[in-house]
Coordinates of all heavy atoms in Angstrom, one line a residue:
A71 N 4.5 26.0 57.5 CA 3.6 25.4 56.6 C 4.1 25.4 55.2 O 4.7 26.4 54.8 CB 2.2 26.0 56.7
G72 N 3.8 24.4 54.4 CA 4.2 24.4 53.0 C 4.0 23.0 52.4 O 3.3 22.2 52.9
D73 N 4.8 22.8 51.3 CA 4.7 21.5 50.6 C 5.7 20.5 51.3 O 6.2 20.7 52.4 CB 4.9 21.6 49.1 CG 6.2 22.3 48.8 OD1 7.2 22.2 49.6 OD2 6.3 22.9 47.7
S74 N 5.9 19.4 50.6 CA 6.8 18.4 51.2 C 8.2 18.9 51.5 O 8.9 18.3 52.3 CB 6.9 17.2 50.2 OG 7.5 17.6 49.0
R75 N 8.6 20.0 50.9 CA 10.0 20.5 51.2 C 10.1 20.9 52.7 O 11.1 20.7 53.3 CB 10.3 21.7 50.3 CG 10.3 21.3 48.9 CD 10.7 22.6 48.1 NE 10.4 22.4 46.7 CZ 10.7 23.3 45.7 NH1 11.3 24.4 46.0 NH2 10.3 23.1 44.5
V76 N 9.0 21.5 53.2 CA 9.1 22.0 54.6 C 9.3 20.9 55.6 O 10.0 21.0 56.6 CB 7.9 22.9 55.0 CG1 7.8 24.1 54.0 CG2 6.6 22.1 55.1
S77 N 8.6 19.7 55.3 CA 8.8 18.6 56.3 C 10.2 18.0 56.2 O 10.6 17.4 57.2 CB 7.7 17.5 56.0 OG 7.9 17.0 54.7
G78 N 10.9 18.2 55.1 CA 12.2 17.6 55.0 C 13.3 18.6 55.4 O 14.4 18.2 55.8
A79 N 12.9 19.9 55.4 CA 13.9 21.0 55.7 C 13.9 21.4 57.1 O 14.9 21.8 57.7 CB 13.8 22.2 54.8
F80 N 12.7 21.5 57.7 CA 12.6 22.0 59.1 C 12.4 20.8 60.1 O 11.3 20.2 60.2 CB 11.4 22.9 59.2 CG 11.5 24.2 58.4 CD1 10.9 24.2 57.1 CD2 12.2 25.3 58.9 CE1 11.1 25.4 56.3 CE2 12.3 26.4 58.1 CZ 11.8 26.5 56.8
L81 N 13.5 20.4 60.7 CA 13.5 19.3 61.7 C 13.0 19.8 63.0 O 13.7 20.6 63.6 CB 14.9 18.7 61.7 CG 15.5 18.2 60.4 CD1 16.8 17.6 60.6 CD2 14.5 17.4 59.6
V82 N 12.0 19.2 63.5 CA 11.3 19.6 64.7 C 12.3 19.6 65.9 O 12.4 20.5 66.8 CB 10.0 18.8 65.0 CG1 9.5 19.2 66.4 CG2 9.0 19.1 63.9
D83 N 13.1 18.5 66.0 CA 14.0 18.3 67.1 C 15.1 19.3 67.1 O 15.5 19.9 68.1 CB 14.5 16.9 67.2 CG 15.4 16.5 66.1 OD1 15.0 16.9 64.9 OD2 16.5 15.9 66.3
E84 N 15.6 19.6 65.9 CA 16.6 20.6 65.8 C 16.1 22.0 66.1 O 16.8 22.8 66.8 CB 17.2 20.6 64.4 CG 18.4 21.6 64.2 CD 19.6 21.2 65.0 OE1 19.9 20.0 65.2 OE2 20.3 22.1 65.6
L85 N 14.9 22.4 65.7 CA 14.3 23.7 66.0 C 14.2 23.8 67.5 O 14.4 24.9 68.1 CB 13.0 23.8 65.3 CG 13.0 23.9 63.8 CD1 11.6 23.9 63.2 CD2 13.7 25.2 63.4
A86 N 13.8 22.7 68.2 CA 13.7 22.7 69.6 C 15.0 23.0 70.3 O 15.1 23.8 71.2 CB 13.1 21.4 70.1
R87 N 16.1 22.4 69.7 CA 17.4 22.7 70.3 C 17.8 24.1 70.1 O 18.6 24.7 70.8 CB 18.4 21.8 69.6 CG 18.6 20.4 70.3 CD 19.8 19.7 69.8 NE 19.7 19.2 68.4 CZ 19.2 18.0 68.1 NH1 18.8 17.2 69.1 NH2 19.1 17.6 66.9
Q88 N 17.3 24.8 69.0 CA 17.6 26.2 68.8 C 16.6 27.1 69.5 O 16.6 28.3 69.2 CB 17.5 26.4 67.2 CG 18.5 25.5 66.4 CD 19.9 25.8 66.8 OE1 20.3 26.9 67.1 NE2 20.7 24.7 66.7
G89 N 15.8 26.6 70.4 CA 14.9 27.5 71.2 C 13.5 27.5 70.7 O 12.7 28.2 71.3
H90 N 13.1 26.7 69.7 CA 11.7 26.7 69.2 C 11.1 25.4 69.6 O 10.7 24.6 68.7 CB 11.7 26.9 67.7 CG 12.2 28.3 67.3 ND1 11.5 29.4 67.5 CD2 13.4 28.7 66.7 CE1 12.2 30.5 67.1 NE2 13.3 30.0 66.6
S91 N 10.9 25.2 70.9 CA 10.3 23.9 71.3 C 8.8 23.9 71.0 O 8.1 22.9 71.1 CB 10.5 23.7 72.8 OG 10.0 24.8 73.5
D92 N 8.2 25.1 70.6 CA 6.8 25.1 70.3 C 6.5 25.1 68.8 O 5.5 25.5 68.4 CB 6.2 26.4 70.9 CG 6.9 27.7 70.5 OD1 7.9 27.6 69.7 OD2 6.5 28.8 70.8
A93 N 7.5 24.7 68.0 CA 7.3 24.7 66.6 C 6.6 23.4 66.1 O 6.8 22.3 66.6 CB 8.7 24.7 65.9
M94 N 5.8 23.6 65.1 CA 5.0 22.5 64.5 C 5.1 22.7 63.0 O 5.0 23.8 62.5 CB 3.6 22.5 64.9 CG 2.8 21.3 64.4 SD 1.0 21.4 64.8 CE 0.4 22.1 63.2
V95 N 5.3 21.6 62.2 CA 5.4 21.7 60.8 C 4.1 21.1 60.2 O 3.7 20.0 60.6 CB 6.6 20.9 60.2 CG1 6.6 20.8 58.7 CG2 7.9 21.5 60.7
L96 N 3.5 21.9 59.3 CA 2.3 21.4 58.6 C 2.6 21.2 57.1 O 3.1 22.2 56.5 CB 1.2 22.5 58.8 CG -0.1 22.3 58.1 CD1 -0.8 21.0 58.6 CD2 -1.0 23.5 58.3
M97 N 2.3 20.0 56.6 CA 2.8 19.7 55.3 C 1.7 19.1 54.4 O 0.9 18.2 54.9 CB 3.9 18.7 55.4 CG 4.5 18.3 54.0 SD 3.7 16.9 53.1 CE 4.2 15.5 54.1
G98 N 1.5 19.7 53.2 CA 0.7 19.1 52.2 C 1.7 18.7 51.1 O 2.4 19.5 50.6
P99 N 1.7 17.4 50.6 CA 2.8 16.9 49.7 C 2.9 17.7 48.4 O 4.0 17.8 47.9 CB 2.4 15.5 49.5 CG 1.0 15.3 49.9 CD 0.8 16.3 51.0
I100 N 1.8 18.2 47.9 CA 1.9 19.0 46.7 C 1.4 20.4 46.9 O 0.7 21.0 46.1 CB 1.2 18.4 45.5 CG1 -0.3 18.1 45.8 CG2 1.9 17.1 45.1 CD1 -1.1 17.8 44.5
G101 N 1.7 20.9 48.1 CA 1.4 22.3 48.4 C 0.0 22.6 48.7 O -0.5 22.2 49.7
Q102 N -0.7 23.4 47.9 CA -2.0 23.9 48.2 C -2.1 24.7 49.5 O -2.6 24.3 50.5 CB -3.1 22.8 48.2 CG -3.0 21.8 47.1 CD -3.4 22.5 45.7 OE1 -3.6 23.7 45.7 NE2 -3.3 21.7 44.7
L103 N -1.4 25.8 49.5 CA -1.3 26.7 50.7 C -2.7 27.1 51.2 O -2.8 27.5 52.4 CB -0.4 27.8 50.5 CG 1.1 27.5 50.4 CD1 1.9 28.8 50.1 CD2 1.6 26.8 51.6
C104 N -3.6 27.2 50.3 CA -5.0 27.5 50.7 C -5.5 26.6 51.8 O -6.2 27.0 52.7 CB -5.9 27.6 49.5 SG -6.1 26.1 48.6
D105 N -5.2 25.3 51.6 CA -5.6 24.3 52.6 C -4.8 24.5 53.9 O -5.4 24.4 55.0 CB -5.4 22.9 52.1 CG -6.3 22.5 50.9 OD1 -7.4 23.1 50.9 OD2 -6.0 21.6 50.1
S106 N -3.5 24.7 53.8 CA -2.7 24.9 55.0 C -3.2 26.1 55.8 O -3.2 26.0 57.0 CB -1.2 25.0 54.6 OG -0.7 23.9 53.9
L107 N -3.5 27.2 55.2 CA -3.9 28.4 55.9 C -5.3 28.2 56.5 O -5.6 28.7 57.6 CB -3.9 29.6 55.0 CG -2.5 30.0 54.5 CD1 -2.6 31.3 53.7 CD2 -1.6 30.2 55.6
A108 N -6.2 27.4 55.8 CA -7.5 27.1 56.4 C -7.3 26.3 57.7 O -8.0 26.5 58.7 CB -8.3 26.3 55.4
V109 N -6.3 25.3 57.7 CA -6.1 24.6 59.0 C -5.4 25.5 60.0 O -5.7 25.4 61.2 CB -5.1 23.4 58.7 CG1 -4.6 22.8 59.9 CG2 -5.8 22.4 57.8
A110 N -4.5 26.4 59.6 CA -3.9 27.3 60.5 C -4.9 28.1 61.4 O -4.6 28.3 62.5 CB -2.9 28.3 59.7
R111 N -6.0 28.5 60.8 CA -7.0 29.3 61.5 C -7.6 28.5 62.6 O -8.2 29.1 63.5 CB -8.0 29.8 60.5 CG -7.5 30.8 59.5 CD -8.6 31.5 58.7 NE -8.0 32.2 57.6 CZ -7.9 31.7 56.3 NH1 -8.3 30.5 56.1 NH2 -7.4 32.5 55.4
T112 N -7.6 27.2 62.5 CA -8.2 26.4 63.6 C -7.2 26.0 64.7 O -7.6 25.4 65.7 CB -8.7 25.0 63.0 OG1 -7.6 24.2 62.6 CG2 -9.5 25.3 61.8
L113 N -5.9 26.5 64.6 CA -4.9 26.1 65.6 C -4.7 27.3 66.5 O -5.0 28.4 66.2 CB -3.6 25.8 64.8 CG -3.6 24.6 63.9 CD1 -2.3 24.5 63.1 CD2 -3.9 23.3 64.6
P114 N -4.1 27.0 67.7 CA -3.8 28.1 68.7 C -2.5 28.8 68.4 O -2.1 29.7 69.1 CB -3.7 27.3 70.0 CG -3.2 25.9 69.6 CD -3.8 25.6 68.3
M115 N -1.8 28.5 67.3 CA -0.6 29.1 66.9 C -0.9 30.6 66.5 O -2.0 30.9 66.0 CB 0.1 28.4 65.8 CG -0.1 26.9 65.7 SD 0.8 26.0 67.0 CE 2.4 25.8 66.3
R116 N 0.1 31.4 66.6 CA -0.1 32.8 66.1 C 1.1 33.3 65.4 O 1.2 34.5 65.1 CB -0.5 33.7 67.3 CG -1.9 33.6 67.7 CD -2.8 34.0 66.6 NE -4.2 33.9 66.9 CZ -5.0 32.8 66.7 NH1 -4.4 31.8 66.1 NH2 -6.2 32.8 67.0
R117 N 2.1 32.5 65.1 CA 3.3 32.8 64.4 C 3.4 31.9 63.2 O 3.4 30.7 63.4 CB 4.5 32.8 65.3 CG 4.4 33.8 66.4 CD 5.6 33.8 67.4 NE 5.6 32.5 68.1 CZ 6.7 31.8 68.3 NH1 7.8 32.1 67.8 NH2 6.6 30.7 69.0
L118 N 3.6 32.4 62.0 CA 3.6 31.6 60.9 C 4.8 31.8 60.0 O 5.2 33.0 59.7 CB 2.3 31.9 60.0 CG 2.2 31.2 58.6 CD1 2.1 29.7 58.8 CD2 1.0 31.8 57.9
V119 N 5.5 30.7 59.6 CA 6.5 30.8 58.5 C 5.9 30.0 57.4 O 5.6 28.8 57.5 CB 7.8 30.1 59.0 CG1 8.8 30.0 57.8 CG2 8.4 31.0 60.1
L120 N 5.8 30.6 56.2 CA 5.1 30.0 55.1 C 6.2 29.7 54.0 O 6.9 30.6 53.6 CB 4.1 31.0 54.5 CG 3.0 30.3 53.6 CD1 2.2 29.3 54.4 CD2 2.1 31.4 53.0
G121 N 6.2 28.4 53.6 CA 7.2 28.0 52.6 C 6.6 28.3 51.2 O 5.6 27.7 50.8
L122 N 7.2 29.3 50.5 CA 6.7 29.7 49.2 C 7.4 29.1 48.1 O 8.7 29.0 48.1 CB 6.8 31.3 49.0 CG 5.9 32.1 49.9 CD1 6.2 33.6 49.6 CD2 4.4 31.8 49.7
S123 N 6.7 28.6 47.1 CA 7.3 28.1 45.8 C 6.1 28.0 44.9 O 5.0 28.0 45.3 CB 7.9 26.7 46.0 OG 6.9 25.7 46.2
P124 N 6.4 27.9 43.6 CA 5.3 27.7 42.6 C 4.5 26.5 42.9 O 3.3 26.5 42.8 CB 6.1 27.5 41.3 CG 7.3 28.3 41.5 CD 7.7 28.1 42.9
L125 N 5.1 25.4 43.4 CA 4.4 24.2 43.7 C 3.5 24.3 45.0 O 2.4 23.8 45.0 CB 5.4 23.1 44.0 CG 4.8 21.6 44.1 CD1 4.2 21.2 42.7 CD2 5.9 20.7 44.5
S126 N 4.0 25.1 46.0 CA 3.2 25.2 47.2 C 2.0 26.2 46.9 O 1.0 26.1 47.6 CB 4.1 25.7 48.3 OG 4.5 27.1 48.1
V127 N 2.2 27.2 46.0 CA 1.1 28.1 45.7 C 0.0 27.3 45.0 O -1.2 27.4 45.4 CB 1.6 29.2 44.8 CG1 0.4 30.1 44.3 CG2 2.6 30.1 45.6
Y128 N 0.3 26.5 44.0 CA -0.7 25.7 43.4 C 0.0 24.6 42.6 O 1.0 24.8 41.9 CB -1.5 26.5 42.4 CG -2.5 25.7 41.6 CD1 -3.6 25.1 42.1 CD2 -2.1 25.4 40.3 CE1 -4.4 24.3 41.4 CE2 -3.0 24.5 39.5 CZ -4.1 24.0 40.1 OH -4.9 23.2 39.3
A129 N -0.6 23.4 42.7 CA -0.3 22.3 41.8 C -1.5 21.5 41.5 O -2.4 21.4 42.5 CB 0.8 21.4 42.4
P130 N -1.8 21.0 40.3 CA -3.0 20.3 40.1 C -3.0 19.0 40.9 O -2.0 18.3 41.0 CB -2.9 19.9 38.6 CG -1.4 20.1 38.3 CD -0.9 21.1 39.2
P131 N -4.1 18.7 41.6 CA -4.2 17.5 42.4 C -3.9 16.2 41.6 O -4.3 16.1 40.4 CB -5.6 17.5 43.0 CG -6.0 18.9 42.9 CD -5.3 19.5 41.7
T132 N -3.1 15.3 42.1 CA -2.8 14.1 41.4 C -3.7 12.9 41.9 O -4.3 13.0 43.0 CB -1.3 13.7 41.6 OG1 -1.1 13.4 43.0 CG2 -0.4 14.9 41.2
S133 N -3.8 11.9 41.2 CA -4.6 10.7 41.6 C -4.0 10.1 42.8 O -4.8 9.6 43.7 CB -4.7 9.7 40.5 OG -3.4 9.3 40.1
E134 N -2.7 10.1 43.0 CA -2.1 9.5 44.2 C -2.4 10.3 45.4 O -2.7 9.8 46.4 CB -0.6 9.5 44.0 CG 0.2 8.9 45.2 CD 1.7 9.0 45.1 OE1 2.2 9.6 44.1 OE2 2.4 8.6 46.0
S135 N -2.4 11.6 45.3 CA -2.7 12.5 46.4 C -4.2 12.3 46.8 O -4.5 12.2 48.0 CB -2.4 14.0 46.0 OG -2.8 14.8 47.1

Side-chain angles (χ1 to χ4, degrees):
D73 56 26
S74 60
R75 298 182 198 184
V76 302
S77 62
F80 296 97
L81 304 184
V82 173
D83 66 316
E84 184 62 40
L85 291 173
R87 275 194 286 271
Q88 301 298 327
H90 295 288
S91 58
D92 58 356
M94 185 186 98
V95 174
L96 176 63
M97 183 274 285
I100 57 168
Q102 311 296 1
L103 290 180
C104 58
D105 290 336
S106 298
L107 294 184
V109 170
R111 295 188 190 95
T112 70
L113 300 173
M115 329 288 274
R116 281 299 177 268
R117 297 177 291 135
L118 172 67
V119 172
L120 199 64
L122 292 181
S123 74
L125 190 66
S126 69
V127 171
Y128 173 76
T132 64
S133 57
E134 178 187 3
S135 177

